[in-house]
Amino acid sequence: MRSDFVFDVAVVGGCGRVGLPLAIALAESGLEVAVHDIDRSALEKVKKGVMPFDEEGAQLVLSEVLSRGRLHATADPSVIGQAETVVIAVGTPVDEELRPDSTALDSAVEACRANLRHGQLFILRSTVFPGVTASFEKALKSSGKNVDTAYCPERIAEGHAMRELRELPQLVGGRSEAVRDRAARLFERLGAEPVHLVTEEAEFAKLATNAWRYMTFAITNELFMIASDHGLDYARIRDGLQYGYPRAAGLPAAGFSAGPCLPKDTAQLAAFAGRSFTLGAAALEVNEGLPRYLVRRLAERYDLGSTVVGLLGMSFKKDSDDIRDSLAYVVRDELEKRGARVLCTDPNVTGDPSLRPLAEVLDESDVLVVTAPHTEYRGLATRAPALDICGVLGDARGAVEGGDSLLYPVGSKGLSAKGADRSPAPAG
């Protein structure tokens, strides 16, 4: 670190699920790190050494770097000018019409521009479509400051950031080799191998990665719906076609694919393509339509107006506490529109007063729907019949204790052959 800077790194949006793991990992590596955020509640938790969300392995590291004085959390934007490297890690959502909403990112960049100093490295880590970094680079240069600008997108899976920051190669986009080298050195401190790309290539690569995953989940979900409509057990079919056949190993189980990244980034790529991203649009239609399909199938079998439906799991993916854009809430709303009484439970989610204890939901429900395949539910015995398209309740579909299968032929059994893949539902 140069002697005229107080911090090695300042992370803007540093109390979020992307920024905070990066900040504490860099602090653990020996850097002096500032965390800047406008969320004062999250800031107070971080200052007290409390993670504001679940992240495996992060709590202990946060406590350690705070005790060593390596991490400083503040809402004061002037800290941006005190760091040699500034990393922006704020959210980039889409609006109701699936158009990118850059409000938070624009505000963060403006705060940076007002506090920048000569010689700083500016790294944009938020997910954006090609050309956005260039526009910010131009805006930063208009301030008259000599600042290097790089684009290094986050690639972590929520909940596994502390491990993946060190294990996964880091995409490093920049206008010149010198800028890319400078940005790469930051992530090399974590042991990450840098992959050098031109800025726009790195922006596209990030969107393409998430869109590809999202389309893969759409394929399996549509196959599930086709099979189910014809009385076929898709889980049994998938087990069979994958067994001993490596070319089918990448086909995930059916299930909800949602959350704050995959649908949003697919929509961002569609916006960049001028709304001509046909496969992406189809994936959005399939994955977002799965909750309504399941409710329609339930309505064919039950009088929902006189049925109590229990939803198991309200976060957007397995073993997460994050409910952002969770399709479980869409299922709840669709059921309530049809007159059902809906009871929701989740062992990981806090802050939702409508959630009930698991035992209560199991006892009072006429039918259950697994809306997030949490580990806690694996092998769970249920009195009521259960709709469990990802098979987390048990290996044999249709053999859930106390009830038959809702979407498959009664008595259908999953394969028991050694090596059959019974992976959980897709995670966004």
Side-chain angles (χ1 to χ4, degrees):
M1 178 175 60
R2 282 173 21 193
S3 60
D4 52 338
F5 287 109
V6 177
F7 300 101
D8 295 291
V9 183
V11 182
V12 180
C15 288
R17 293 177 183 264
V18 171
L20 187 54
L22 176 64
I24 62 179
L26 290 172
E28 185 185 29
S29 78
L31 297 182
E32 300 290 337
V33 180
V35 167
H36 170 65
D37 208 297
I38 59 174
D39 185 340
R40 294 186 180 274
S41 174
L43 276 172
E44 288 306 311
K45 288 182 179 180
V46 171
K47 289 178 181 179
K48 295 175 181 177
V50 177
M51 286 293 295
F53 48 84
D54 288 342
E55 184 63 53
E56 185 177 351
Q59 180 61 64
L60 179 60
V61 181
L62 174 60
S63 299
E64 289 178 351
V65 296
L66 284 172
S67 67
R68 295 175 185 171
R70 294 285 188 184
L71 193 76
H72 175 71
T74 179
D76 183 357
S78 67
V79 75
I80 294 169
Q82 301 173 32
E84 185 171 2
T85 298
V86 178
V87 180
I88 289 194
V90 301
T92 51
V94 293
D95 63 20
E96 293 181 355
E97 297 181 6
L98 301 182
R99 297 175 303 191
D101 180 0
S102 64
T103 304
L105 184 56
D106 290 342
S107 297
V109 172
E110 187 56 36
C112 289
R113 189 170 72 150
N115 290 278
L116 285 178
R117 294 169 56 193
H118 287 296
Q120 287 180 299
L121 171 63
F122 177 88
I123 297 178
L124 182 58
R125 198 156 177 79
S126 306
T127 303
V128 296
F129 58 83
V132 171
T133 303
S135 68
F136 288 143
E137 186 174 10
K138 182 178 180 180
L140 295 176
K141 287 187 179 300
S142 70
S143 66
K145 307 292 174 57
N146 181 21
V147 177
D148 288 333
T149 303
Y151 180 68
C152 305
E154 60 86 10
R155 311 184 80 190
I156 59 170
E158 192 176 294
H160 304 285
M162 300 304 294
R163 172 175 53 83
E164 292 188 341
L165 281 168
R166 299 182 180 279
E167 295 180 355
L168 296 181
Q170 172 64 53
L171 300 181
V172 179
R175 206 60 62 196
S176 69
E177 194 66 31
V179 171
R180 292 193 289 270
D181 284 341
R182 188 179 180 188
R185 285 194 292 272
L186 179 69
F187 296 98
E188 285 173 339
R189 291 192 65 94
L190 304 178
E193 178 184 1
V195 180
H196 287 218
L197 296 171
V198 175
T199 304
E200 287 75 19
E201 293 173 338
E203 290 170 322
F204 192 93
K206 167 61 178 180
L207 294 179
T209 299
N210 281 357
W212 172 79
R213 291 186 66 222
Y214 193 63
M215 288 187 289
T216 302
F217 297 150
I219 291 169
T220 203
N221 283 335
E222 186 151 32
L223 290 175
F224 157 74
M225 288 186 276
I226 293 171
S228 180
D229 281 341
H230 289 81
L232 302 175
D233 186 334
Y234 177 66
R236 179 177 168 83
I237 292 167
R238 175 175 168 272
D239 282 347
L241 69 88
Q242 285 188 320
Y243 180 66
Y245 194 67
R247 286 189 288 277
L251 182 67
F256 295 141
S257 178
C261 293
L262 301 190
K264 177 262 295 182
D265 292 349
T266 302
Q268 281 210 73
L269 189 53
F272 174 70
R275 299 293 177 182
S276 62
F277 187 16
T278 306
L279 290 177
L284 285 162
E285 182 177 353
V286 170
N287 288 330
E288 295 290 311
L290 183 58
R292 288 181 289 277
Y293 172 83
L294 296 179
V295 172
R296 177 173 63 79
R297 291 303 305 271
L298 283 173
E300 292 171 0
R301 182 153 183 172
Y302 295 94
D303 175 9
L304 292 180
S306 58
T307 300
V308 180
V309 182
L311 302 187
L312 306 184
M314 302 306 291
S315 62
F316 81 86
K317 70 173 185 176
K318 175 184 175 182
D319 295 341
S320 171
D321 65 336
D322 193 350
I323 62 173
R324 290 178 297 170
D325 299 312
S326 170
L327 292 180
Y329 287 91
V330 178
V331 175
R332 181 197 65 184
D333 293 345
E334 290 294 318
L335 286 167
E336 289 179 342
K337 287 178 184 177
R338 292 176 178 261
R341 179 183 173 220
V342 184
L343 306 179
C344 305
T345 187
D346 194 296
N348 306 303
V349 174
T350 59
D352 182 348
S354 70
L355 299 185
R356 311 277 286 274
L358 174 61
E360 187 176 309
V361 173
L362 293 178
D363 182 62
E364 296 186 21
S365 298
D366 300 314
V367 61
L368 299 164
V369 181
V370 179
T371 37
H374 296 321
T375 299
E376 183 169 320
Y377 302 148
R378 189 162 296 283
L380 182 70
T382 67
R383 174 189 57 79
L387 190 164
D388 178 26
I389 65 175
C390 59
V392 71
L393 295 182
D395 283 345
R397 277 68 175 188
V400 177
E401 186 174 328
D404 58 47
S405 171
L406 297 181
L407 295 182
Y408 309 115
V410 174
S412 171
K413 305 291 184 180
L415 292 183
S416 58
K418 183 179 180 181
D421 179 11
R422 305 187 190 284
S423 57

